[in-house]
Amino acid sequence: MATTLTTRPLSTQPLTELLFQAGLLAGLGPRADLLASTAGLINAPEKASITGRQKSCISAGNSLILSLRAPGSRCLRIAQQIEDTQRWIHTHYSPSPALNNRPERWLTEFFLAKPPVSNAASPNGLSSSTIPSDTGPNSYAPWAKALSFARTLNAETRAQQYHKKLGCRSHLLSFSQRLDSNPGGWITWRLNKHYSPAAALADCEASWAWPVAAQHFQTLLGRSISKYCRPWSLAVNISDSQPRFRLGTTVWARQPESTEKHRRLADTVEQMGGDSRFSEALYKLIAAPHPAGITSRIGRAAEIEFYDGQAVSMEFFLCVAT
């Protein structure tokens, strides 16, 4: 079923210009101008509407995020909030002609606030007693939505299995679905403060992954990272028959902006087989409009993906002030 999205153009010229320049950096050529003119794709909420809105530790109340992924060549990866909701649309523009210039699109829904307690049946006809516990009765509504989403991918059993492993010591953070003809989906749990990422990976029979993740996060942060740092999230690809995980953290957002911060990003991207020059240029592009002594954070979150016994990629999320 096609998903209808309410769209609005970006409300400020600087953001349109930023997307145009980012498109040029990504090698989109003439398509960069088209992207900027239709830009925004989804929205840029008015400042007045941001007041009182739920803020995630990634977006910090802003509505535009660019990301970098390694390994691989340059690609413009945009995430924008859909009006004042907790839903985001992700669009990935690749310069590769092999992809017929069609962007890859994903829709992510976050659960940032606890829904009200309810003993009523879910829209899918399930009572709360049939739904695995998340962090208590307040988590019933998000899990019902995630389970309904899993059914569309014929992955209900797999989702249930992972929720049984993770749900008792974490809460549901989000689910993501691919919007093109290739089905795909992820469910993400945010780990409780006493639930270490090493333990969560071990519960998913991937205990080997934590030392690998710690090594790459150490390169990004410039220091060793404890498994007890927080917050952490663990995402599972429920549409893949083979275990595929993404371990994420926003510890990066605690580091002040500096030359060293984006140089460490470039080093990590290179270590993962990505385009380090593009990553540094994109970071500087986002930072350019900010005055000296900026206190807000651009580099906010990072995720490392594991598949078939190895780390296969990392993604880094850069917040654009809107």
Side-chain angles (χ1 to χ4, degrees):
M1 179 181 295
T3 302
T4 302
L5 304 175
T6 303
T7 64
R8 287 188 295 186
L10 286 174
S11 59
T12 56
Q13 183 61 30
L15 290 179
T16 303
E17 180 65 20
L18 184 146
L19 286 176
F20 171 66
Q21 293 183 25
L24 292 179
L25 283 175
L28 300 182
R31 295 169 60 208
D33 188 47
L34 176 63
L35 180 149
S37 62
T38 56
L41 299 171
I42 300 302
N43 77 316
E46 298 298 330
K47 290 293 183 182
S49 68
I50 294 178
T51 304
R53 181 150 45 100
Q54 286 286 328
K55 298 180 181 180
S56 74
C57 51
I58 299 178
S59 67
N62 294 291
S63 59
L64 177 62
I65 294 172
L66 304 184
S67 73
L68 295 158
R69 189 173 176 88
S73 57
R74 294 175 293 169
C75 178
L76 183 60
R77 306 172 68 87
I78 301 174
Q80 282 193 274
Q81 192 171 16
I82 302 174
E83 295 190 334
D84 295 333
T85 70
Q86 294 180 16
R87 302 167 76 217
W88 288 70
I89 185 76
H90 304 252
T91 312
H92 308 157
Y93 296 89
S94 171
S96 173
L99 299 178
N100 298 318
N101 292 331
R102 290 183 178 180
E104 179 182 327
R105 305 178 77 223
W106 290 75
L107 177 66
T108 298
E109 180 164 353
F110 284 92
F111 303 106
L112 303 180
K114 291 183 178 179
V117 177
S118 173
N119 293 320
S122 77
N124 306 300
L126 296 174
S127 68
S128 57
S129 63
T130 66
I131 299 173
S133 172
D134 197 356
T135 54
N138 284 350
S139 60
Y140 151 68
W143 176 244
K145 294 189 75 171
L147 197 60
S148 178
F149 157 65
R151 287 195 193 99
T152 67
L153 298 172
N154 296 317
E156 179 181 357
T157 299
R158 193 172 296 119
Q160 292 268 20
Q161 290 171 343
Y162 281 108
H163 195 65
K164 186 175 181 180
K165 295 176 180 179
L166 301 171
C168 59
R169 289 194 284 172
S170 58
H171 68 266
L172 196 66
L173 178 62
S174 67
F175 65 82
S176 300
Q177 63 181 106
R178 190 163 179 166
L179 298 180
D180 56 30
S181 58
N182 298 316
W186 293 79
I187 294 180
T188 303
W189 290 263
R190 179 167 175 170
L191 309 185
N192 293 344
K193 62 181 180 180
H194 298 302
Y195 191 24
S196 74
L201 287 165
D203 287 342
C204 294
E205 301 179 3
S207 57
W208 56 268
W210 169 246
V212 179
Q215 177 184 350
H216 289 296
F217 284 130
Q218 178 175 331
T219 302
L220 180 67
L221 299 172
R223 61 175 177 82
S224 60
I225 185 167
S226 167
K227 60 185 179 182
Y228 298 108
C229 291
R230 59 179 189 270
W232 292 94
S233 65
L234 185 61
V236 177
N237 187 323
I238 60 169
S239 56
D240 199 321
S241 59
Q242 298 297 318
R244 185 183 291 267
F245 308 102
R246 286 181 186 166
L247 179 66
T249 183
T250 54
V251 173
W252 195 30
R254 298 175 185 171
Q255 293 191 325
E257 295 306 311
S258 65
T259 300
E260 290 73 21
K261 184 174 182 178
H262 62 71
R263 283 180 179 169
R264 286 194 298 269
L265 168 64
D267 290 342
T268 311
V269 168
E270 184 173 14
Q271 185 181 83
M272 290 298 298
D275 190 326
S276 61
R277 295 181 62 184
F278 171 61
S279 67
E280 195 163 7
L282 184 64
Y283 203 108
K284 290 180 178 178
L285 176 65
I286 297 172
H290 295 286
I294 178 175
T295 57
S296 61
R297 304 293 191 257
I298 296 172
R300 299 201 61 87
E303 290 182 345
I304 184 166
E305 184 172 327
F306 298 98
Y307 179 72
D308 195 23
Q310 59 184 326
V312 294
S313 70
M314 287 188 75
E315 187 165 7
F316 312 89
F317 299 90
L318 312 179
C319 187
V320 178
T322 56

PDB file of all heavy atoms in Angstrom, residues 176-210:
ATOM      1  N   SER A 176      11.319   1.191  11.278  1.00  0.00           N
ATOM      2  CA  SER A 176      11.569   1.799   9.969  1.00  0.00           C
ATOM      3  C   SER A 176      11.140   0.845   8.875  1.00  0.00           C
ATOM      4  O   SER A 176      11.432  -0.358   8.952  1.00  0.00           O
ATOM      5  CB  SER A 176      13.066   2.123   9.788  1.00  0.00           C
ATOM      6  OG  SER A 176      13.522   3.020  10.784  1.00  0.00           O
ATOM      7  N   GLN A 177      10.468   1.379   7.847  1.00  0.00           N
ATOM      8  CA  GLN A 177      10.059   0.552   6.722  1.00  0.00           C
ATOM      9  C   GLN A 177      10.506   1.175   5.407  1.00  0.00           C
ATOM     10  O   GLN A 177      10.489   2.395   5.236  1.00  0.00           O
ATOM     11  CB  GLN A 177       8.542   0.371   6.706  1.00  0.00           C
ATOM     12  CG  GLN A 177       7.751   1.648   6.507  1.00  0.00           C
ATOM     13  CD  GLN A 177       6.267   1.398   6.534  1.00  0.00           C
ATOM     14  OE1 GLN A 177       5.584   1.730   7.499  1.00  0.00           O
ATOM     15  NE2 GLN A 177       5.753   0.812   5.461  1.00  0.00           N
ATOM     16  N   ARG A 178      10.926   0.306   4.502  1.00  0.00           N
ATOM     17  CA  ARG A 178      11.340   0.773   3.184  1.00  0.00           C
ATOM     18  C   ARG A 178      10.103   1.039   2.339  1.00  0.00           C
ATOM     19  O   ARG A 178       9.148   0.269   2.358  1.00  0.00           O
ATOM     20  CB  ARG A 178      12.232  -0.280   2.519  1.00  0.00           C
ATOM     21  CG  ARG A 178      12.900   0.211   1.250  1.00  0.00           C
ATOM     22  CD  ARG A 178      14.066  -0.674   0.873  1.00  0.00           C
ATOM     23  NE  ARG A 178      14.690  -0.210  -0.358  1.00  0.00           N
ATOM     24  CZ  ARG A 178      15.878  -0.624  -0.790  1.00  0.00           C
ATOM     25  NH1 ARG A 178      16.566  -1.492  -0.062  1.00  0.00           N
ATOM     26  NH2 ARG A 178      16.384  -0.167  -1.920  1.00  0.00           N
ATOM     27  N   LEU A 179      10.140   2.139   1.569  1.00  0.00           N
ATOM     28  CA  LEU A 179       8.945   2.582   0.862  1.00  0.00           C
ATOM     29  C   LEU A 179       8.922   2.217  -0.610  1.00  0.00           C
ATOM     30  O   LEU A 179       7.936   2.467  -1.283  1.00  0.00           O
ATOM     31  CB  LEU A 179       8.788   4.111   1.005  1.00  0.00           C
ATOM     32  CG  LEU A 179       8.600   4.639   2.421  1.00  0.00           C
ATOM     33  CD1 LEU A 179       8.456   6.155   2.411  1.00  0.00           C
ATOM     34  CD2 LEU A 179       7.388   3.990   3.079  1.00  0.00           C
ATOM     35  N   ASP A 180      10.002   1.666  -1.144  1.00  0.00           N
ATOM     36  CA  ASP A 180       9.983   1.308  -2.564  1.00  0.00           C
ATOM     37  C   ASP A 180       9.581  -0.153  -2.725  1.00  0.00           C
ATOM     38  O   ASP A 180       9.053  -0.769  -1.805  1.00  0.00           O
ATOM     39  CB  ASP A 180      11.328   1.618  -3.235  1.00  0.00           C
ATOM     40  CG  ASP A 180      12.488   0.935  -2.531  1.00  0.00           C
ATOM     41  OD1 ASP A 180      12.277  -0.146  -1.952  1.00  0.00           O
ATOM     42  OD2 ASP A 180      13.607   1.480  -2.548  1.00  0.00           O
ATOM     43  N   SER A 181       9.849  -0.696  -3.876  1.00  0.00           N
ATOM     44  CA  SER A 181       9.369  -2.056  -4.186  1.00  0.00           C
ATOM     45  C   SER A 181      10.129  -3.148  -3.453  1.00  0.00           C
ATOM     46  O   SER A 181       9.695  -4.297  -3.426  1.00  0.00           O
ATOM     47  CB  SER A 181       9.457  -2.303  -5.704  1.00  0.00           C
ATOM     48  OG  SER A 181      10.790  -2.132  -6.159  1.00  0.00           O
ATOM     49  N   ASN A 182      11.277  -2.807  -2.876  1.00  0.00           N
ATOM     50  CA  ASN A 182      12.055  -3.794  -2.132  1.00  0.00           C
ATOM     51  C   ASN A 182      11.663  -3.745  -0.660  1.00  0.00           C
ATOM     52  O   ASN A 182      11.963  -2.776   0.029  1.00  0.00           O
ATOM     53  CB  ASN A 182      13.559  -3.514  -2.263  1.00  0.00           C
ATOM     54  CG  ASN A 182      14.024  -3.623  -3.696  1.00  0.00           C
ATOM     55  OD1 ASN A 182      13.658  -4.548  -4.404  1.00  0.00           O
ATOM     56  ND2 ASN A 182      14.842  -2.673  -4.128  1.00  0.00           N
ATOM     57  N   PRO A 183      10.962  -4.751  -0.159  1.00  0.00           N
ATOM     58  CA  PRO A 183      10.510  -4.706   1.231  1.00  0.00           C
ATOM     59  C   PRO A 183      11.686  -4.737   2.200  1.00  0.00           C
ATOM     60  O   PRO A 183      12.723  -5.340   1.927  1.00  0.00           O
ATOM     61  CB  PRO A 183       9.643  -5.962   1.360  1.00  0.00           C
ATOM     62  CG  PRO A 183      10.181  -6.892   0.328  1.00  0.00           C
ATOM     63  CD  PRO A 183      10.610  -6.025  -0.820  1.00  0.00           C
ATOM     64  N   GLY A 184      11.524  -4.075   3.309  1.00  0.00           N
ATOM     65  CA  GLY A 184      12.566  -4.067   4.324  1.00  0.00           C
ATOM     66  C   GLY A 184      12.056  -3.406   5.580  1.00  0.00           C
ATOM     67  O   GLY A 184      11.149  -2.568   5.523  1.00  0.00           O
ATOM     68  N   GLY A 185      12.623  -3.782   6.728  1.00  0.00           N
ATOM     69  CA  GLY A 185      12.165  -3.177   7.959  1.00  0.00           C
ATOM     70  C   GLY A 185      13.083  -3.440   9.128  1.00  0.00           C
ATOM     71  O   GLY A 185      13.720  -4.498   9.210  1.00  0.00           O
ATOM     72  N   TRP A 186      13.179  -2.447  10.005  1.00  0.00           N
ATOM     73  CA  TRP A 186      13.968  -2.534  11.224  1.00  0.00           C
ATOM     74  C   TRP A 186      13.089  -2.164  12.416  1.00  0.00           C
ATOM     75  O   TRP A 186      12.223  -1.295  12.314  1.00  0.00           O
ATOM     76  CB  TRP A 186      15.151  -1.563  11.184  1.00  0.00           C
ATOM     77  CG  TRP A 186      16.209  -1.871  10.172  1.00  0.00           C
ATOM     78  CD1 TRP A 186      16.162  -1.608   8.823  1.00  0.00           C
ATOM     79  CD2 TRP A 186      17.482  -2.471  10.411  1.00  0.00           C
ATOM     80  NE1 TRP A 186      17.327  -2.010   8.226  1.00  0.00           N
ATOM     81  CE2 TRP A 186      18.155  -2.546   9.172  1.00  0.00           C
ATOM     82  CE3 TRP A 186      18.119  -2.944  11.560  1.00  0.00           C
ATOM     83  CZ2 TRP A 186      19.431  -3.080   9.048  1.00  0.00           C
ATOM     84  CZ3 TRP A 186      19.403  -3.474  11.438  1.00  0.00           C
ATOM     85  CH2 TRP A 186      20.036  -3.537  10.193  1.00  0.00           C
ATOM     86  N   ILE A 187      13.345  -2.801  13.559  1.00  0.00           N
ATOM     87  CA  ILE A 187      12.761  -2.392  14.831  1.00  0.00           C
ATOM     88  C   ILE A 187      13.914  -2.080  15.772  1.00  0.00           C
ATOM     89  O   ILE A 187      14.895  -2.830  15.842  1.00  0.00           O
ATOM     90  CB  ILE A 187      11.856  -3.482  15.423  1.00  0.00           C
ATOM     91  CG1 ILE A 187      10.631  -3.700  14.526  1.00  0.00           C
ATOM     92  CG2 ILE A 187      11.391  -3.099  16.834  1.00  0.00           C
ATOM     93  CD1 ILE A 187       9.668  -4.767  15.038  1.00  0.00           C
ATOM     94  N   THR A 188      13.802  -0.946  16.481  1.00  0.00           N
ATOM     95  CA  THR A 188      14.874  -0.482  17.353  1.00  0.00           C
ATOM     96  C   THR A 188      14.399  -0.390  18.792  1.00  0.00           C
ATOM     97  O   THR A 188      13.314   0.143  19.060  1.00  0.00           O
ATOM     98  CB  THR A 188      15.378   0.904  16.901  1.00  0.00           C
ATOM     99  OG1 THR A 188      15.802   0.848  15.543  1.00  0.00           O
ATOM    100  CG2 THR A 188      16.552   1.365  17.760  1.00  0.00           C
ATOM    101  N   TRP A 189      15.232  -0.893  19.696  1.00  0.00           N
ATOM    102  CA  TRP A 189      14.982  -0.792  21.128  1.00  0.00           C
ATOM    103  C   TRP A 189      16.033   0.112  21.751  1.00  0.00           C
ATOM    104  O   TRP A 189      17.214   0.027  21.408  1.00  0.00           O
ATOM    105  CB  TRP A 189      15.058  -2.160  21.796  1.00  0.00           C
ATOM    106  CG  TRP A 189      13.949  -3.096  21.475  1.00  0.00           C
ATOM    107  CD1 TRP A 189      12.818  -3.334  22.211  1.00  0.00           C
ATOM    108  CD2 TRP A 189      13.845  -3.959  20.325  1.00  0.00           C
ATOM    109  NE1 TRP A 189      12.023  -4.273  21.590  1.00  0.00           N
ATOM    110  CE2 TRP A 189      12.629  -4.675  20.432  1.00  0.00           C
ATOM    111  CE3 TRP A 189      14.649  -4.191  19.204  1.00  0.00           C
ATOM    112  CZ2 TRP A 189      12.203  -5.596  19.486  1.00  0.00           C
ATOM    113  CZ3 TRP A 189      14.236  -5.112  18.250  1.00  0.00           C
ATOM    114  CH2 TRP A 189      13.034  -5.804  18.391  1.00  0.00           C
ATOM    115  N   ARG A 190      15.602   0.974  22.678  1.00  0.00           N
ATOM    116  CA  ARG A 190      16.558   1.763  23.457  1.00  0.00           C
ATOM    117  C   ARG A 190      16.828   1.013  24.754  1.00  0.00           C
ATOM    118  O   ARG A 190      15.905   0.692  25.502  1.00  0.00           O
ATOM    119  CB  ARG A 190      16.014   3.152  23.752  1.00  0.00           C
ATOM    120  CG  ARG A 190      16.983   3.990  24.593  1.00  0.00           C
ATOM    121  CD  ARG A 190      16.602   5.445  24.629  1.00  0.00           C
ATOM    122  NE  ARG A 190      17.468   6.185  25.524  1.00  0.00           N
ATOM    123  CZ  ARG A 190      17.491   7.497  25.603  1.00  0.00           C
ATOM    124  NH1 ARG A 190      16.679   8.219  24.844  1.00  0.00           N
ATOM    125  NH2 ARG A 190      18.304   8.113  26.427  1.00  0.00           N
ATOM    126  N   LEU A 191      18.113   0.749  25.015  1.00  0.00           N
ATOM    127  CA  LEU A 191      18.485  -0.078  26.162  1.00  0.00           C
ATOM    128  C   LEU A 191      18.357   0.717  27.455  1.00  0.00           C
ATOM    129  O   LEU A 191      18.735   1.892  27.511  1.00  0.00           O
ATOM    130  CB  LEU A 191      19.922  -0.587  26.004  1.00  0.00           C
ATOM    131  CG  LEU A 191      20.269  -1.268  24.671  1.00  0.00           C
ATOM    132  CD1 LEU A 191      21.691  -1.824  24.728  1.00  0.00           C
ATOM    133  CD2 LEU A 191      19.276  -2.369  24.324  1.00  0.00           C
ATOM    134  N   ASN A 192      17.838   0.086  28.486  1.00  0.00           N
ATOM    135  CA  ASN A 192      17.767   0.721  29.798  1.00  0.00           C
ATOM    136  C   ASN A 192      19.169   0.976  30.334  1.00  0.00           C
ATOM    137  O   ASN A 192      20.148   0.346  29.909  1.00  0.00           O
ATOM    138  CB  ASN A 192      16.983  -0.153  30.775  1.00  0.00           C
ATOM    139  CG  ASN A 192      15.511  -0.251  30.391  1.00  0.00           C
ATOM    140  OD1 ASN A 192      15.018   0.541  29.593  1.00  0.00           O
ATOM    141  ND2 ASN A 192      14.819  -1.224  30.968  1.00  0.00           N
ATOM    142  N   LYS A 193      19.267   1.874  31.305  1.00  0.00           N
ATOM    143  CA  LYS A 193      20.588   2.333  31.754  1.00  0.00           C
ATOM    144  C   LYS A 193      21.427   1.229  32.395  1.00  0.00           C
ATOM    145  O   LYS A 193      22.657   1.340  32.429  1.00  0.00           O
ATOM    146  CB  LYS A 193      20.444   3.518  32.707  1.00  0.00           C
ATOM    147  CG  LYS A 193      19.689   3.218  33.996  1.00  0.00           C
ATOM    148  CD  LYS A 193      19.600   4.486  34.839  1.00  0.00           C
ATOM    149  CE  LYS A 193      18.853   4.234  36.149  1.00  0.00           C
ATOM    150  NZ  LYS A 193      18.785   5.476  36.957  1.00  0.00           N
ATOM    151  N   HIS A 194      20.799   0.200  32.890  1.00  0.00           N
ATOM    152  CA  HIS A 194      21.554  -0.892  33.502  1.00  0.00           C
ATOM    153  C   HIS A 194      21.724  -2.090  32.561  1.00  0.00           C
ATOM    154  O   HIS A 194      22.196  -3.149  32.982  1.00  0.00           O
ATOM    155  CB  HIS A 194      20.866  -1.348  34.794  1.00  0.00           C
ATOM    156  CG  HIS A 194      20.789  -0.284  35.840  1.00  0.00           C
ATOM    157  ND1 HIS A 194      21.906   0.353  36.344  1.00  0.00           N
ATOM    158  CD2 HIS A 194      19.711   0.284  36.467  1.00  0.00           C
ATOM    159  CE1 HIS A 194      21.542   1.246  37.245  1.00  0.00           C
ATOM    160  NE2 HIS A 194      20.218   1.238  37.330  1.00  0.00           N
ATOM    161  N   TYR A 195      21.344  -1.898  31.309  1.00  0.00           N
ATOM    162  CA  TYR A 195      21.439  -2.973  30.309  1.00  0.00           C
ATOM    163  C   TYR A 195      22.528  -2.587  29.322  1.00  0.00           C
ATOM    164  O   TYR A 195      22.348  -1.706  28.483  1.00  0.00           O
ATOM    165  CB  TYR A 195      20.085  -3.118  29.613  1.00  0.00           C
ATOM    166  CG  TYR A 195      19.916  -4.348  28.742  1.00  0.00           C
ATOM    167  CD1 TYR A 195      20.665  -5.504  28.928  1.00  0.00           C
ATOM    168  CD2 TYR A 195      18.964  -4.341  27.722  1.00  0.00           C
ATOM    169  CE1 TYR A 195      20.483  -6.615  28.128  1.00  0.00           C
ATOM    170  CE2 TYR A 195      18.767  -5.454  26.916  1.00  0.00           C
ATOM    171  CZ  TYR A 195      19.525  -6.585  27.121  1.00  0.00           C
ATOM    172  OH  TYR A 195      19.333  -7.691  26.330  1.00  0.00           O
ATOM    173  N   SER A 196      23.674  -3.196  29.426  1.00  0.00           N
ATOM    174  CA  SER A 196      24.814  -2.802  28.593  1.00  0.00           C
ATOM    175  C   SER A 196      24.648  -3.308  27.170  1.00  0.00           C
ATOM    176  O   SER A 196      23.983  -4.322  26.932  1.00  0.00           O
ATOM    177  CB  SER A 196      26.113  -3.359  29.180  1.00  0.00           C
ATOM    178  OG  SER A 196      26.206  -4.760  28.950  1.00  0.00           O
ATOM    179  N   PRO A 197      25.265  -2.619  26.203  1.00  0.00           N
ATOM    180  CA  PRO A 197      25.200  -3.101  24.818  1.00  0.00           C
ATOM    181  C   PRO A 197      25.856  -4.468  24.657  1.00  0.00           C
ATOM    182  O   PRO A 197      25.425  -5.267  23.824  1.00  0.00           O
ATOM    183  CB  PRO A 197      25.938  -2.018  24.034  1.00  0.00           C
ATOM    184  CG  PRO A 197      26.783  -1.313  25.042  1.00  0.00           C
ATOM    185  CD  PRO A 197      26.016  -1.362  26.319  1.00  0.00           C
ATOM    186  N   ALA A 198      26.881  -4.731  25.459  1.00  0.00           N
ATOM    187  CA  ALA A 198      27.519  -6.043  25.390  1.00  0.00           C
ATOM    188  C   ALA A 198      26.539  -7.137  25.789  1.00  0.00           C
ATOM    189  O   ALA A 198      26.465  -8.195  25.155  1.00  0.00           O
ATOM    190  CB  ALA A 198      28.747  -6.072  26.305  1.00  0.00           C
ATOM    191  N   ALA A 199      25.755  -6.872  26.835  1.00  0.00           N
ATOM    192  CA  ALA A 199      24.776  -7.859  27.290  1.00  0.00           C
ATOM    193  C   ALA A 199      23.656  -8.027  26.273  1.00  0.00           C
ATOM    194  O   ALA A 199      23.191  -9.148  26.021  1.00  0.00           O
ATOM    195  CB  ALA A 199      24.205  -7.436  28.641  1.00  0.00           C
ATOM    196  N   ALA A 200      23.214  -6.915  25.685  1.00  0.00           N
ATOM    197  CA  ALA A 200      22.135  -6.988  24.694  1.00  0.00           C
ATOM    198  C   ALA A 200      22.572  -7.791  23.470  1.00  0.00           C
ATOM    199  O   ALA A 200      21.818  -8.625  22.960  1.00  0.00           O
ATOM    200  CB  ALA A 200      21.704  -5.582  24.284  1.00  0.00           C
ATOM    201  N   LEU A 201      23.793  -7.559  23.009  1.00  0.00           N
ATOM    202  CA  LEU A 201      24.300  -8.317  21.864  1.00  0.00           C
ATOM    203  C   LEU A 201      24.460  -9.791  22.223  1.00  0.00           C
ATOM    204  O   LEU A 201      24.167 -10.669  21.406  1.00  0.00           O
ATOM    205  CB  LEU A 201      25.631  -7.730  21.399  1.00  0.00           C
ATOM    206  CG  LEU A 201      25.532  -6.379  20.676  1.00  0.00           C
ATOM    207  CD1 LEU A 201      26.910  -5.712  20.584  1.00  0.00           C
ATOM    208  CD2 LEU A 201      24.943  -6.545  19.281  1.00  0.00           C
ATOM    209  N   ALA A 202      24.906 -10.060  23.439  1.00  0.00           N
ATOM    210  CA  ALA A 202      25.039 -11.448  23.877  1.00  0.00           C
ATOM    211  C   ALA A 202      23.680 -12.132  23.921  1.00  0.00           C
ATOM    212  O   ALA A 202      23.551 -13.301  23.534  1.00  0.00           O
ATOM    213  CB  ALA A 202      25.706 -11.509  25.251  1.00  0.00           C
ATOM    214  N   ASP A 203      22.653 -11.402  24.365  1.00  0.00           N
ATOM    215  CA  ASP A 203      21.306 -11.971  24.402  1.00  0.00           C
ATOM    216  C   ASP A 203      20.802 -12.300  23.001  1.00  0.00           C
ATOM    217  O   ASP A 203      19.928 -13.149  22.831  1.00  0.00           O
ATOM    218  CB  ASP A 203      20.338 -11.003  25.082  1.00  0.00           C
ATOM    219  CG  ASP A 203      20.566 -10.943  26.591  1.00  0.00           C
ATOM    220  OD1 ASP A 203      21.201 -11.868  27.136  1.00  0.00           O
ATOM    221  OD2 ASP A 203      20.110  -9.961  27.215  1.00  0.00           O
ATOM    222  N   CYS A 204      21.348 -11.596  21.995  1.00  0.00           N
ATOM    223  CA  CYS A 204      20.984 -11.862  20.595  1.00  0.00           C
ATOM    224  C   CYS A 204      21.993 -12.788  19.921  1.00  0.00           C
ATOM    225  O   CYS A 204      22.056 -12.850  18.686  1.00  0.00           O
ATOM    226  CB  CYS A 204      20.880 -10.544  19.828  1.00  0.00           C
ATOM    227  SG  CYS A 204      19.533  -9.485  20.377  1.00  0.00           S
ATOM    228  N   GLU A 205      22.806 -13.465  20.742  1.00  0.00           N
ATOM    229  CA  GLU A 205      23.801 -14.427  20.250  1.00  0.00           C
ATOM    230  C   GLU A 205      24.829 -13.774  19.336  1.00  0.00           C
ATOM    231  O   GLU A 205      25.251 -14.346  18.328  1.00  0.00           O
ATOM    232  CB  GLU A 205      23.102 -15.604  19.544  1.00  0.00           C
ATOM    233  CG  GLU A 205      22.135 -16.343  20.461  1.00  0.00           C
ATOM    234  CD  GLU A 205      21.424 -17.495  19.761  1.00  0.00           C
ATOM    235  OE1 GLU A 205      21.727 -17.748  18.589  1.00  0.00           O
ATOM    236  OE2 GLU A 205      20.571 -18.138  20.394  1.00  0.00           O
ATOM    237  N   ALA A 206      25.234 -12.553  19.708  1.00  0.00           N
ATOM    238  CA  ALA A 206      26.263 -11.837  18.949  1.00  0.00           C
ATOM    239  C   ALA A 206      27.254 -11.199  19.919  1.00  0.00           C
ATOM    240  O   ALA A 206      27.630 -10.034  19.769  1.00  0.00           O
ATOM    241  CB  ALA A 206      25.626 -10.779  18.056  1.00  0.00           C
ATOM    242  N   SER A 207      27.689 -11.958  20.924  1.00  0.00           N
ATOM    243  CA  SER A 207      28.599 -11.413  21.935  1.00  0.00           C
ATOM    244  C   SER A 207      29.922 -10.962  21.341  1.00  0.00           C
ATOM    245  O   SER A 207      30.591 -10.078  21.886  1.00  0.00           O
ATOM    246  CB  SER A 207      28.843 -12.450  23.035  1.00  0.00           C
ATOM    247  OG  SER A 207      29.352 -13.655  22.484  1.00  0.00           O
ATOM    248  N   TRP A 208      30.318 -11.533  20.220  1.00  0.00           N
ATOM    249  CA  TRP A 208      31.560 -11.168  19.559  1.00  0.00           C
ATOM    250  C   TRP A 208      31.545  -9.727  19.048  1.00  0.00           C
ATOM    251  O   TRP A 208      32.608  -9.130  18.799  1.00  0.00           O
ATOM    252  CB  TRP A 208      31.793 -12.098  18.358  1.00  0.00           C
ATOM    253  CG  TRP A 208      30.641 -12.074  17.388  1.00  0.00           C
ATOM    254  CD1 TRP A 208      29.555 -12.909  17.392  1.00  0.00           C
ATOM    255  CD2 TRP A 208      30.437 -11.149  16.321  1.00  0.00           C
ATOM    256  NE1 TRP A 208      28.687 -12.567  16.387  1.00  0.00           N
ATOM    257  CE2 TRP A 208      29.193 -11.482  15.704  1.00  0.00           C
ATOM    258  CE3 TRP A 208      31.149 -10.084  15.812  1.00  0.00           C
ATOM    259  CZ2 TRP A 208      28.676 -10.779  14.625  1.00  0.00           C
ATOM    260  CZ3 TRP A 208      30.649  -9.383  14.736  1.00  0.00           C
ATOM    261  CH2 TRP A 208      29.424  -9.730  14.155  1.00  0.00           C
ATOM    262  N   ALA A 209      30.360  -9.143  18.879  1.00  0.00           N
ATOM    263  CA  ALA A 209      30.245  -7.843  18.203  1.00  0.00           C
ATOM    264  C   ALA A 209      30.684  -6.667  19.072  1.00  0.00           C
ATOM    265  O   ALA A 209      31.135  -5.645  18.542  1.00  0.00           O
ATOM    266  CB  ALA A 209      28.808  -7.629  17.732  1.00  0.00           C
ATOM    267  N   TRP A 210      30.537  -6.763  20.396  1.00  0.00           N
ATOM    268  CA  TRP A 210      30.842  -5.605  21.230  1.00  0.00           C
ATOM    269  C   TRP A 210      32.302  -5.155  21.132  1.00  0.00           C
ATOM    270  O   TRP A 210      32.569  -3.953  20.963  1.00  0.00           O
ATOM    271  CB  TRP A 210      30.461  -5.858  22.692  1.00  0.00           C
ATOM    272  CG  TRP A 210      31.023  -4.787  23.588  1.00  0.00           C
ATOM    273  CD1 TRP A 210      31.962  -4.914  24.551  1.00  0.00           C
ATOM    274  CD2 TRP A 210      30.688  -3.389  23.555  1.00  0.00           C
ATOM    275  NE1 TRP A 210      32.250  -3.715  25.131  1.00  0.00           N
ATOM    276  CE2 TRP A 210      31.482  -2.751  24.537  1.00  0.00           C
ATOM    277  CE3 TRP A 210      29.811  -2.623  22.788  1.00  0.00           C
ATOM    278  CZ2 TRP A 210      31.416  -1.377  24.786  1.00  0.00           C
ATOM    279  CZ3 TRP A 210      29.732  -1.251  23.025  1.00  0.00           C
ATOM    280  CH2 TRP A 210      30.523  -0.635  24.013  1.00  0.00           C
TER     281      TRP A 210
END
